[in-house]
């Protein structure tokens, strides 16, 4: 009999920066679901990866004076390290810069183009670079991007458009007929309202930058990042190259995404697939956001939490457990260090850790470590065993319905019940009475057996803890913890082995540092990226007042750097060729210590265009570039990304 299959994906994250705890949250959930389905005996494919193209990445690389691929390679190493340390069991890691993906995107584009669903037109729109999205004026909120709240830029280009509008009615009908496609239901309603307002055709190519997949039928253009990125879900299971693999796993069981990208996954993606003649995925789930102590995570607030530092301090399973238990799946949730420590101490160290420790210690003390079922039962045993069985059944139901929090709560209710069972049966009293020897063996057996089932149930959440429980119970660690083995009464004759506490209690020192297993960790998890550390500016005094007329005399223009080179024998100067509209100018600028010449090519600058020419190192310079500089030796060129060269700056 062939096994049922389960194909789950995370968003492919942008390698514009290191990943933070929010990304770890989404991937942890996906990993837990993947592990749960493996535990059910299904054939699982779990895909994550990186979304590497687009203007945002190109600019980041330019700022550093390196190529985009050099830039992303370094960040992908961080992605992979994080997933490794967080115990993420993905079957593949897809990078959109890979050849296998370029091929899929180009093939799909050609097919849709040839069938007439793509056309060319001149387009002017408002672009949000961080979100890589065009917006209409009416869609802006307070003049800013409705998704992220950042300013948009006016961009103009000749582009290819995908006929989304043609599929509007089909989409509405599809959603009506498949009410479970978008979850949670609140997000479904949002999407329906969005589409009912009218779907615009989607601009799917760009010419303003080149870090992307070339459009096969017009090489001046690169593919829009979202059109490129969504197709990763097909590339990952070998669409077009291995039909057996593709047909085995497609349609995907679940695309797990954050709520802000539900629109791309539930409107654009299904329409792309419909146009391609490919079946639609079964479900898209839009999870909520993690906020930090009630505040949105952002670099400028300096509250971005580095998951690697947290793992180093508390261990991967503790972080996973917290994320899965504390945040109600589907809703936004709060991350706080205090709540994390409380959860670890109470749920992991106290409830689970103590149950194992007490059980194993008593079996060693009373029975030389050997677990034996002597079969002397009492009513209290039936109560415990019934709870084990109902917990397993409810666990499976909850996890199937993605009610992750209830599934965990159910397991912890069983753990609490087992701790209470120790107090009710009083093994230390039974141990004093020879006549109760068999009863004591049964009690210890029931506890060990409950722990064995608990180890199976918690394996999807805290995968490195289950093997530790098994080892302490004297059981061989299986390659996979299978739910089929979560049946009470399977263990016999094992010899327990006391080990280290599963989760050492976390002590907090007076200065806020944590002390874990004797090691001290300074009270710091916030990792503001170096780029956002506000430099202490030693401000130069403001110059003497001028009139508006005096200012109006200065003609500031947007220029585009066409060529740049170092000025021989000068440490400070670069010689630039700058286009101001149709006019080419030579400008010598004192920025050599801040910018590599290659990094400037193609970049917009602001030029004082009517400044009298001056000779520098024998080169005549026609204009000056605007730049911000602080008292600490930092300098950044003023910029007008996306503006046409020659535009006036006022
Ligand atoms: N590259 C696109 C996705 C393309 S998928 C075909 C993208 N990348 S991203 O790097 O911005 O990652 C977005 C995803 O990261 C969110 O959808 C969400 O799953 C996760 N999160 C990012 N910040 C988060 C929080 N603060 N909280 C929870 N999840 C967060 O969008």
């Amino acid at each position: 009999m062939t096994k049922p299959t389960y194909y789950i994906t995370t968003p492919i994250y942008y390698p514009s920066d290191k990943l933070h705890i929010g990304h770890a949250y989404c991937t942890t959930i996906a990993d837990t679901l993947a592990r749960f389905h493996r535990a059910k005996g299904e054939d699982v494919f779990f895909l994550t990866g990186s979304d590497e193209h687009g203007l945002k990445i190109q600019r980041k690389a330019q700022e550093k004076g390196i190529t985009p691929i050099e830039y992303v390679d370094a960040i992908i190493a961080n992605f992979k390290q994080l997933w490794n340390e967080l115990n993420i069991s993905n079957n593949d890691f897809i990078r959109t810069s890979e050849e296998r993906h370029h091929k899929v995107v180009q093939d799909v584009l050609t097919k849709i183009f040839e069938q007439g669903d793509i056309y060319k037109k001149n387009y002017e729109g408002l672009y949000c670079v961080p979100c890589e999205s065009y917006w209409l004026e009416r869609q802006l909120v307070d003049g800013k991007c409705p998704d992220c709240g950042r300013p948009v830029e006016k961009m103009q280009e000749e582009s290819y458009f995908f006929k989304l509008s043609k599929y509007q009615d089909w989409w509405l009908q599809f959603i009506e007929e498949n009410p479970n496609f978008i979850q949670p239901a609140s997000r479904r309603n949002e999407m329906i309202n969005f589409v009912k307002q009218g779907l615009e055709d989607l601009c799917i190519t760009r010419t303003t930058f080149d870090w992307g997949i070339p459009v096969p039928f017009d090489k001046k253009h690169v593919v829009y990042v979202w059109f490129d990125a969504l197709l990763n879900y097909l590339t990952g299971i070998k669409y077009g190259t291995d039909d057996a693999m593709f047909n085995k796993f497609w349609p995907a069981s679940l695309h797990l995404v954050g709520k802000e990208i539900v629109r791309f996954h539930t409107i654009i993606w299904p329409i792309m697939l419909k146009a391609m003649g490919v079946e639609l995925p079964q479900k898209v789930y839009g999870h909520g956001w993690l906020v930090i102590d009630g505040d949105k995570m952002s670099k400028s607030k300096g509250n971005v939490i580095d998951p690697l530092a947290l793992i180093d301090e508390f261990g991967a399973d503790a972080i996973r457990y917290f994320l899965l238990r504390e945040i109600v799946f589907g809703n936004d949730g709060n991350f706080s260090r205090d709540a994390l420590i409380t959860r670890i101490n109470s749920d992991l160290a106290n409830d689970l850790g103590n149950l194992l420790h007490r059980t194993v210690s008593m079996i060693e003390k009373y029975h030389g470590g050997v677990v034996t079922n002597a079969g002397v039962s009492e009513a209290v045993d039936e109560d415990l065993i019934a709870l084990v069985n109902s917990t397993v059944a409810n666990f499976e139901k909850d996890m199937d319905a993605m009610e992750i929090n209830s599934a965990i709560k159910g397991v912890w209710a069983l753990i609490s019940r087992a701790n209470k069972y120790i107090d009710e049966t009083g093994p230390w009293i039974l141990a004093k009475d020879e006549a109760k020897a068999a009863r004591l063996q049964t009690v210890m057996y029931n506890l060990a057996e409950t722990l064995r089932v608990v180890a199976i149930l918690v394996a999807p959440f805290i995968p490195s803890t289950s093997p530790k429980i098994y080892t302490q119970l004297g059981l061989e660690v299986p390659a996979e913890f299978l739910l089929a083995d979560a049946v009470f009464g399977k263990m016999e004759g094992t010899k327990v082995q006391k080990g280290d506490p599963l989760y050492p209690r976390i002590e907090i020192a007076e200065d806020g540092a944590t002390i874990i297993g004797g090691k001290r960790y300074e009270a710091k998890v916030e990792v503001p990226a170096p780029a956002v550390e506000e430099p202490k500016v030693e401000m130069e005094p403001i110059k003497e007042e001028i009139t508006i007329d005096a200012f109006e005399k200065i003609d500031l223009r947007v220029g585009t750097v066409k060529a740049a080179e170092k000025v021989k024998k000068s440490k400070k100067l670069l010689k630039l060729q700058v286009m101001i509209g149709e006019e080419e100018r030579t400008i010598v600028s004192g920025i050599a210590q801040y910018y590599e010449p290659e990094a400037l090519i193609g970049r917009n600058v602001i030029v004082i265009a009517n400044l009298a020419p001056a000779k520098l190192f024998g080169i005549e310079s026609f204009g000056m570039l605007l730049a911000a500089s602080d008292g600490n030796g930092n300098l950044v060129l003023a910029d007008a990304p996306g503006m046409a060269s020659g535009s006036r700056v006022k």
Side-chain angles (χ1 to χ4, degrees):
M1 208 182 73
T2 54
K3 288 181 181 181
T5 58
Y6 185 78
Y7 176 30
I8 180 167
T9 65
T10 71
I12 47 172
Y13 306 108
Y14 290 126
S16 44
D17 221 323
K18 286 184 180 174
L19 295 177
H20 58 59
I21 191 75
H23 304 110
Y25 171 63
C26 177
T27 307
T28 299
I29 294 168
D31 183 66
T32 299
L33 292 170
R35 287 176 184 274
F36 165 70
H37 283 271
R38 289 192 196 107
K40 287 213 301 182
E42 295 174 12
D43 203 341
V44 171
F45 197 83
F46 169 23
L47 183 68
T48 188
S50 53
D51 184 0
E52 305 191 0
H53 297 125
L55 183 55
K56 183 165 53 174
I57 303 275
Q58 180 164 322
R59 280 192 185 162
K60 286 257 184 185
Q62 264 168 1
E63 277 163 23
K64 288 205 150 195
I66 54 177
T67 61
I69 195 73
E70 283 169 344
Y71 182 83
V72 293
D73 277 351
I75 296 201
I76 298 307
N78 164 269
F79 281 28
K80 291 192 172 168
Q81 183 194 356
L82 174 58
W83 300 148
N84 188 26
E85 292 194 18
L86 197 56
N87 234 323
I88 300 300
S89 63
N90 52 305
N91 297 87
D92 200 351
F93 186 98
I94 170 103
R95 299 183 56 173
T96 54
S97 59
E98 288 169 327
E99 186 48 42
R100 58 172 172 158
H101 182 63
H102 280 223
K103 183 171 170 1
V104 168
V105 174
Q106 292 188 326
D107 289 353
V108 167
L109 216 61
T110 305
K111 177 179 161 51
I112 305 185
F113 180 63
E114 283 172 0
Q115 79 192 27
D117 277 340
I118 292 176
Y119 62 93
K120 194 172 178 181
K121 87 169 185 198
N122 202 3
Y123 188 67
E124 190 179 297
L126 300 161
Y127 198 67
C128 173
V129 177
C131 296
E132 302 277 13
S133 294
Y134 269 114
W135 297 103
L136 297 171
E137 191 83 50
R138 67 172 157 85
Q139 292 171 318
L140 302 182
V141 176
D142 297 331
K144 302 211 168 119
C145 170
D147 272 357
C148 72
R150 281 175 277 208
V152 291
E153 301 174 16
K154 202 173 240 173
M155 296 251 197
Q156 191 186 19
E157 48 189 333
E158 192 175 61
S159 303
Y160 287 89
F161 280 75
F162 173 47
K163 289 186 184 165
L164 277 191
S165 56
K166 170 176 155 189
Y167 293 95
Q168 175 167 336
D169 293 341
W170 165 81
W171 187 89
L172 285 166
Q173 193 183 340
F174 169 80
I175 294 298
E176 197 176 335
E177 287 166 4
N178 295 274
N180 294 326
F181 176 69
I182 307 177
Q183 287 192 3
S186 55
R187 313 230 193 275
R188 174 173 180 265
N189 298 335
E190 254 174 63
M191 292 305 116
I192 293 174
N193 290 339
F194 185 89
V195 173
K196 282 192 172 157
Q197 283 174 21
L199 269 185
E200 305 277 336
D201 288 347
L202 180 71
C203 173
I204 54 161
T205 69
R206 300 285 188 266
T207 50
T208 43
F209 60 92
D210 57 10
W211 176 235
I213 300 178
V215 172
F217 41 86
D218 191 342
K219 295 274 163 58
K220 277 206 313 287
H221 295 251
V222 292
V223 180
Y224 168 49
V225 265
W226 271 101
F227 195 93
D228 156 357
L230 288 162
L231 286 164
N232 91 85
Y233 302 132
L234 300 190
T235 311
I237 49 165
K238 300 199 163 70
Y239 172 72
T241 53
D242 181 345
D243 289 348
M245 163 95 173
F246 181 74
N247 293 331
K248 178 172 171 188
F249 288 109
W250 194 259
S253 317
L254 176 67
H255 292 313
L256 182 67
V257 300
K259 62 181 181 180
E260 82 292 358
I261 56 173
V262 166
R263 193 167 54 85
F264 294 95
H265 284 81
T266 60
I267 302 175
I268 298 175
W269 180 225
I271 294 181
M272 283 168 66
L273 290 165
K274 171 75 181 159
M276 290 160 62
V278 173
E279 218 181 315
L280 266 51
Q282 287 167 8
K283 200 175 285 178
V284 175
Y285 192 103
H287 68 75
W289 278 356
L290 210 58
V291 294
I292 308 298
D293 290 324
D295 217 356
K296 201 174 164 193
M297 214 180 323
S298 91
K299 277 187 156 193
S300 52
K301 287 184 192 143
N303 64 354
V304 176
I305 295 200
D306 177 3
L308 281 167
L310 280 183
I311 294 170
D312 179 47
E313 185 172 1
F314 299 104
D317 277 5
I319 307 304
R320 291 174 62 113
Y321 178 77
F322 175 81
L323 294 172
L324 295 162
R325 170 67 181 84
E326 188 84 2
I327 294 133
V328 179
F329 188 43
N331 296 358
D332 287 351
N334 195 36
F335 180 94
S336 91
R337 201 178 154 81
D338 287 351
L340 170 67
I341 293 172
T342 306
R343 279 273 168 223
I344 297 174
N345 280 345
S346 76
D347 298 14
L348 297 176
N350 253 2
D351 298 347
L352 177 59
N354 274 349
L355 177 63
L356 180 71
H357 181 75
R358 292 165 87 189
T359 303
V360 171
S361 303
M362 288 190 288
I363 296 174
E364 283 197 338
K365 183 166 168 195
Y366 303 136
H367 304 130
V370 180
V371 183
T372 317
N373 185 5
V376 182
S377 308
E378 291 185 6
V380 66
D381 301 2
E382 294 315 315
D383 193 39
L384 177 69
I385 295 168
L387 189 67
V388 171
N389 291 331
S390 65
T391 303
V392 174
N394 289 334
F395 174 84
E396 197 165 339
K397 240 191 287 156
D398 284 341
M399 290 297 284
D400 272 329
M402 290 195 286
E403 303 279 353
I404 296 179
N405 311 93
S406 337
I408 299 186
K409 277 189 203 161
V411 181
W412 256 260
L414 175 61
I415 293 169
S416 297
R417 179 68 192 85
N419 271 318
K420 190 166 147 226
Y421 176 85
I422 298 180
D423 302 333
E424 287 167 344
T425 52
W428 46 91
I429 300 168
L430 297 174
K432 287 187 188 140
D433 186 347
E434 270 293 309
K436 297 278 170 62
R439 173 65 191 145
L440 179 59
Q441 281 185 327
T442 305
V443 166
M444 296 324 300
Y445 176 85
N446 288 342
L447 285 167
E449 190 53 2
T450 302
L451 269 162
R452 186 184 65 80
V453 172
V454 164
I456 296 173
L457 299 185
V458 298
F461 312 125
I462 44 178
S464 49
T465 301
S466 302
K468 290 182 193 157
I469 300 176
Y470 257 51
T471 306
Q472 293 206 28
L473 291 176
L475 293 161
E476 199 178 312
V477 176
E480 202 85 73
F481 285 89
L482 292 174
L483 276 182
D485 292 327
V487 180
F488 195 92
K490 283 197 152 193
M491 182 155 60
E492 191 52 75
T494 58
K495 190 157 190 295
V496 301
Q497 282 172 343
K498 198 154 67 181
D500 291 336
L502 284 183
Y503 294 90
R505 251 195 98 75
I506 298 166
E507 310 292 340
I508 308 206
E510 270 184 14
D511 61 359
T514 49
I515 299 167
I516 307 170
K519 195 170 162 193
R520 199 183 138 87
Y521 294 84
E522 298 310 319
K524 60 157 180 55
V525 277
E526 267 84 319
V527 188
V532 295
E533 275 169 19
E534 293 291 329
K536 276 187 241 95
V537 179
E538 283 182 23
M539 207 175 93
E540 290 175 31
I542 307 273
K543 289 183 188 163
E544 197 183 305
E545 186 178 286
I546 57 164
T547 62
I548 183 84
D549 293 344
F551 175 70
E552 294 261 298
K553 285 189 189 148
I554 305 172
D555 195 336
L556 296 171
R557 298 294 173 126
V558 175
T560 307
V561 180
K562 195 176 139 195
E565 61 183 82
K566 293 203 158 124
V567 171
K568 281 193 198 104
K569 294 195 192 138
S570 166
K571 269 196 204 143
K572 293 190 178 161
L573 298 178
L574 289 186
K575 179 182 160 204
L576 310 172
Q577 295 306 124
V578 178
M579 299 303 296
I580 301 179
E582 298 290 289
E583 186 193 335
E584 182 172 339
R585 299 248 188 133
T586 300
I587 297 178
V588 178
S589 178
I591 54 172
Q593 286 156 312
Y594 308 98
Y595 289 92
E596 290 300 322
E598 309 80 71
L600 291 169
I601 296 169
R603 191 186 153 131
N604 277 359
V605 287
I606 311 287
V607 182
I608 307 176
N610 59 342
L611 194 68
K615 242 189 190 165
L616 293 155
F617 269 61
I619 307 166
E620 183 119 69
S621 175
F622 299 88
M624 220 169 99
L625 305 189
L626 286 195
S629 86
D630 63 18
N632 293 337
N634 299 308
L635 180 141
V636 175
L637 282 173
D639 207 352
M643 289 301 291
S645 158
S647 305
R648 187 182 290 283
V649 179
K650 27 190 197 177

